Amino acid sequence: MTHAAALPASMSFDIAGLVTERLEHANRLGESAAGYVAHALAPLVTTDLDATEPAIVVTVVDEVPVPRDGAEYGVRLGPNGTVWIGDHRGRGGLLSVTKGGGTVLLDRNADASVLSRLRVPLLEIALSAAGGGTLRAAGVQVDGLRLGIAGWAGMGKSRIVLELLSRHGGRLLGDDLLAVTREGEIATLSCRVTVRPEHRNLLPRSLRRRARMRQSGARVLGRFSKGRGLPRTAAAFANAGARVMRDYSEQHVGVGQLIGNGRVGSMGRLDAVLILGSERPGVEPSRRLAAYGCSYSAHVAALEAALLAQGLDAPLLPDVSFRQQIARRALSGAHVIHGRADGPSEAAAAVAALLAAARDRQVVDP
C-alpha cells in the first residue's frame, strides 16, 4: 500500500530534455493514483528545473464534477472547452489542451488509469510541439546497450522486459511508450511494468512470498468462518484468496519493486530493436512502429473528436506520416531484428538474439 502523505506536495519532471511536467498536491492523492505516482513517476523527479512555466500541469483537487453529457465511463465534454476522462465510479479529471501542452484538474480519488490516460495525450502534444514525439515500444538498458521491443498489445513485450530486468540486470527505459528527441534519442516516460499471470515466475521472490501470505491468510479466515457456520463469509474469503495471486500478478509493478533500487536507464540512441512477429518483406520497420503508435492513441482520437465537436482547433493525434518520421528517427543506426515471445522458450531466444544484435552493432560501430 502506498500512502500519499509520503509523496511531496509538488513534483516536477523533465521529459527527454524537451518538456517539463509538474504535479501539484500529490500528497492528497488516494491510494490508487498515489501508487501510480510512487511507482511510475517518482523515479523521474527532477529538482533542478528552471523557473519557466511547465508545459503540463496536473493539479489534485478534492472532487471534479462529472459533466452531464456523455457516457458514464470514458470521455465527456466538459465546461469551457475541457474534456472529462473518468473511471467506472465517476471519478476523473478535466483536461484543458493548449498548443504546447495543457492542464489537468484531477479528482484525488480517481483510479490510477485515469491519470495515465490524461498524461498520454498531453505528452503527445507537448513533445511534438517541442520537436520530439513518442514511440510505442518498450525499452531496457543492459550493460550500456539500449534495447527496444515493439509489437501489438499481447505479443510479449512485457515478458521480454521482465526477462531483461530480472535476469540480465537491466535498467528500465519504458514498458509501452518511449519519448523520442529531435536527435532520435529515447527517454523514459513511465517506470512501471505490466505483470500478467504468466509472468509470475519472473517476479522477485519477495513479491511472490507476500502474495502467497495474503492468499494463505484468506484461506485460514475462510476455514474459520465455515467452521463457525458462516457460509457467506467463508465463501467471500475463499473468493478473495483465489483472487489474490491473479490480482497481484496483473498489477503494474514499479521498477523499484522489480530490481530493488529503482534504477532507470539513461537517455540515448537505441542499439538494437526487436519487432515481435514475422518479418514482412518490403515493409519498412518504421511503418510498422508508426501503426503501433496509432493503435495506442485510440483514446486520444476520442479526445480529439470531443474537442472538435466543440469547434476547437486542437489536433491531438499525430498522423501516420509524423509517427513514421519519429520511428525512423528512433531506429536510425539501430540493428533491427524480428522474433516471437509466445512462451518462455521463445522469449528467452528473442532476448538472446536481441542482446547479440546490440553487441554486434557495438563492435561494428564502437
Side-chain angles (χ1 to χ4, degrees):
M1 180 182 294
T2 301
H3 298 284
L7 297 173
S10 180
M11 305 172 72
S12 297
F13 315 98
D14 178 12
I15 307 298
L18 297 176
V19 172
T20 56
E21 179 182 6
R22 189 169 67 221
L23 175 60
E24 296 285 4
H25 308 304
N27 56 339
R28 297 169 61 185
L29 285 169
E31 181 182 343
S32 177
Y36 172 84
V37 171
H39 293 156
L41 302 183
L44 304 179
V45 167
T46 307
T47 57
D48 57 350
L49 291 178
D50 56 34
T52 58
E53 186 66 20
I56 301 171
V57 178
V58 179
T59 304
V60 179
V61 297
D62 289 334
E63 187 176 0
V64 176
V66 182
R68 293 184 178 181
D69 298 329
E72 184 64 27
Y73 174 76
V75 179
R76 291 190 178 196
L77 302 182
N80 303 320
T82 59
V83 174
W84 180 88
I85 294 181
D87 58 25
H88 63 285
R89 299 169 299 136
R91 300 282 190 171
L94 277 178
L95 174 68
S96 179
V97 177
T98 64
K99 277 192 174 181
T103 60
V104 172
L105 287 179
L106 178 68
D107 189 314
R108 64 182 301 272
N109 291 312
D111 188 75
S113 62
V114 173
L115 179 54
S116 176
R117 291 164 63 206
L118 287 163
R119 280 189 79 230
V120 169
L122 291 181
L123 288 170
E124 294 259 11
I125 296 166
L127 285 168
S128 59
T134 60
L135 183 73
R136 190 185 183 187
V140 179
Q141 186 175 0
V142 178
D143 297 331
L145 300 171
R146 295 175 186 84
L147 314 172
I149 307 100
W152 296 112
M155 294 190 74
K157 294 191 299 294
S158 295
R159 177 188 287 276
I160 292 179
V161 168
L162 288 168
E163 287 267 2
L164 291 167
L165 290 178
S166 62
R167 295 178 177 171
H168 295 272
R171 296 170 178 256
L172 183 68
L173 291 167
D175 181 40
D176 203 43
L177 195 67
L178 302 170
V180 182
T181 68
R182 302 184 190 93
E183 294 76 25
E185 295 182 324
I186 60 166
T188 304
L189 293 175
S190 172
C191 302
R192 289 205 307 178
V193 183
T194 303
V195 182
R196 296 188 174 89
E198 60 269 25
H199 304 153
R200 243 180 248 164
N201 63 321
L202 296 173
L203 288 172
R205 290 183 179 179
S206 60
L207 287 179
R208 284 182 282 171
R209 189 181 304 117
R210 199 182 313 164
R212 282 196 297 269
M213 289 175 64
R214 289 175 56 198
Q215 187 180 41
S216 299
R219 286 176 177 170
V220 169
L221 288 171
R223 290 170 185 164
F224 175 80
S225 301
K226 187 175 181 180
R228 291 298 182 99
L230 301 171
R232 290 187 179 179
T233 306
F237 278 120
N239 290 335
R243 287 197 309 267
V244 164
M245 289 299 288
R246 183 191 67 220
D247 293 345
Y248 209 79
S249 296
E250 290 177 347
Q251 71 173 320
H252 295 266
V253 179
V255 63
Q257 288 180 278
L258 285 171
I259 56 180
N261 56 12
R263 296 179 302 172
V264 179
S266 59
M267 186 169 66
R269 300 196 67 90
L270 288 170
D271 294 288
V273 176
L274 168 66
I275 298 180
L276 295 172
S278 303
E279 184 174 1
R280 298 181 181 178
V283 178
E284 189 179 347
S286 61
R287 184 178 174 185
R288 295 183 69 172
L289 267 66
Y292 302 150
C294 290
S295 171
Y296 184 87
S297 295
H299 72 278
V300 181
L303 283 172
E304 184 178 44
L307 290 172
L308 292 176
Q310 300 182 81
L312 299 176
D313 183 16
L316 303 181
L317 183 63
D319 59 24
V320 177
S321 61
F322 176 81
R323 291 189 180 280
Q324 187 169 358
Q325 176 187 343
I326 295 296
R328 192 179 291 122
R329 193 186 300 175
L331 293 176
S332 177
H335 192 158
V336 179
I337 64 173
H338 294 77
R340 306 188 70 85
D342 300 326
S345 59
E346 292 87 349
V351 165
L354 182 58
L355 288 168
R359 288 169 182 144
D360 287 346
R361 179 195 175 279
Q362 191 178 42
V363 171
V364 174
D365 185 16

